[in-house]
Amino acid sequence: MPVELTDDQRLALFELVALAVNDGTEVIRIELQNLKTETGQGLGSWEVVIQRTAE
């Protein structure tokens, strides 16, 4: 499902795509373990995958 992003969020994703391009890879997999909010509420662990699509 598409998500609306702020300009800052879009820029952050662009930086990750640039990292992949510079490394010569088409997939970035980022593991975020035991995330918590500023108040300490647990958000669990997440995996973020950015993958190049066919042109």
Side-chain angles (χ1 to χ4, degrees):
M1 166 178 14
V3 176
E4 292 290 326
L5 300 175
T6 66
D7 289 342
D8 287 341
Q9 292 166 331
R10 196 174 297 280
L11 179 60
L13 289 174
F14 178 82
E15 292 288 336
L16 292 173
V17 170
L19 174 68
V21 170
N22 289 337
D23 283 348
T25 187
E26 293 186 357
V27 178
I28 294 178
R29 179 170 279 114
I30 302 163
E31 293 183 9
L32 304 170
Q33 301 290 327
N34 303 317
L35 294 177
K36 294 183 181 176
T37 66
E38 290 180 6
T39 61
Q41 178 183 358
L43 300 173
S45 297
W46 293 76
E47 180 179 72
V48 178
V49 177
I50 298 174
Q51 182 173 348
R52 183 177 180 166
T53 59
E55 292 183 22

